[in-house]
Amino acid sequence: MPTHPLSHLVLGQLRRDFLITPQNKIIIDQLGGNLLYAAEGVKLWVEEEQGNIGLVSRVGEDYPRAWLDEIATQGYNIEGLHILPEEIDLRYFRAYSDIRTVHEHDPIAHFTRLGKTMPKTLLGYSEKKLPRNLNQISNISLRRTDLPEDISQVKAAHLCAMDYLSHTLIPAALRQAGVGVVTLDPGNYMQKEYWREVQNAAIGLTAFMPSEDELREVFRGRTSDLFEMIEEVSSWGVEIVVVKRSWEGQTVYDSASKKMYEVSAYPSKVVDLTGAGDVFAGGVLAGLAATQNLLEAVLYGNVAASFAVEGTGVFYTRGALPGLKTARLEHIRQSVREL
């Protein structure tokens, strides 16, 4: 584990992944979670001698200790990984019926489709749903006390998609600690009935990074114009709005200059989209911390995601050939278009 002070912080969820890839490859109970995908997006651009990346999450005592050890051996500071004295269901199921269509429910149907028996380890699985009260704290909601003891030198932090309460409590704590860059990928509370809550989660962020589908759901019944949505979000006190548009790349808005840009996705050979949005967000965080340049940061994220989609697993991007990320950065830079 690196011993020098923390420079970047990623906060999110660890999972036990059960996947059926677009190629119908079945993956049973492997290390996963948006926390690691986002962290890998940061690590692609931050060498160990350049910074110490800390992870913050909560898991149950039943989470495999060998996996936590593996995370540490991959060069992360795991001081912020808290093991609770209880079992917590962290299973996550994701199945593709084709390269663009993903399902996160009814695993039996998908195993049956392939003529396979669902593994016993998925018995009783159900897709996680929103609580009736968004302010209800859960066992995996992050508390201020979950932050590592010394974050005085952390220059940038990213919050992955989590529960609403974590997203309202933690950014303020990070700001109070002097963290200059705070980015956030909103959670499943991105629904039109939670209009006010979404605003509260976005206030004061360096970058707010919803998907286009999430943004359209929040604005359903208000407007169908994506530009109007983005400008409204920026008025909530967000410095940068980054809308992830999957195959189409990203639409980006700089609140200070009031300029909007479109960035095309790098033309990768897509194998698996699992975690791509999180890897992108991690790349953006690394780019903001390193360059303080909005567009350059989005390009960092774009390139990071381009590696992630070419294979399966949280550590797949580690196989990127030296120099290839720089070549892809130069290629994608030509796609930036001001709107």
Side-chain angles (χ1 to χ4, degrees), residues 115-193:
K116 303 291 185 180
T117 301
M118 188 180 77
K120 292 182 179 180
T121 45
L122 263 181
L123 288 175
Y125 176 84
S126 61
E127 187 180 357
K128 307 302 182 290
K129 299 185 182 299
L130 274 173
R132 291 185 178 180
N133 178 8
L134 290 187
N135 288 302
Q136 177 182 340
I137 196 166
S138 75
N139 48 9
I140 59 172
S141 297
L142 295 182
R143 285 78 164 162
R144 291 170 182 252
T145 52
D146 290 327
L147 295 174
E149 186 174 341
D150 183 10
I151 59 172
S152 60
Q153 295 189 50
V154 171
K155 52 188 176 183
H158 174 68
L159 286 88
C160 302
M162 287 183 286
D163 61 289
Y164 173 72
L165 196 59
S166 296
H167 278 180
T168 53
L169 293 177
I170 299 302
L174 293 169
R175 288 298 197 191
Q176 289 172 6
V179 179
V181 174
V182 180
T183 65
L184 183 145
D185 197 336
N188 59 357
Y189 54 82
M190 288 287 285
Q191 299 179 19
K192 68 172 186 175
E193 56 264 40

Side-chain angles (χ1 to χ4, degrees), residues 173-228:
L174 293 169
R175 288 298 197 191
Q176 289 172 6
V179 179
V181 174
V182 180
T183 65
L184 183 145
D185 197 336
N188 59 357
Y189 54 82
M190 288 287 285
Q191 299 179 19
K192 68 172 186 175
E193 56 264 40
Y194 298 122
W195 173 260
R196 293 297 178 191
E197 287 81 358
V198 174
Q199 290 185 48
N200 290 338
I203 290 172
L205 294 172
T206 306
F208 185 64
M209 296 188 278
S211 70
E212 181 177 358
D213 288 344
E214 290 172 333
L215 200 57
R216 290 194 180 281
E217 173 57 30
V218 170
F219 279 85
R220 186 157 53 90
R222 293 177 181 269
T223 179
S224 59
D225 188 308
L226 184 62
F227 292 174
E228 289 182 7

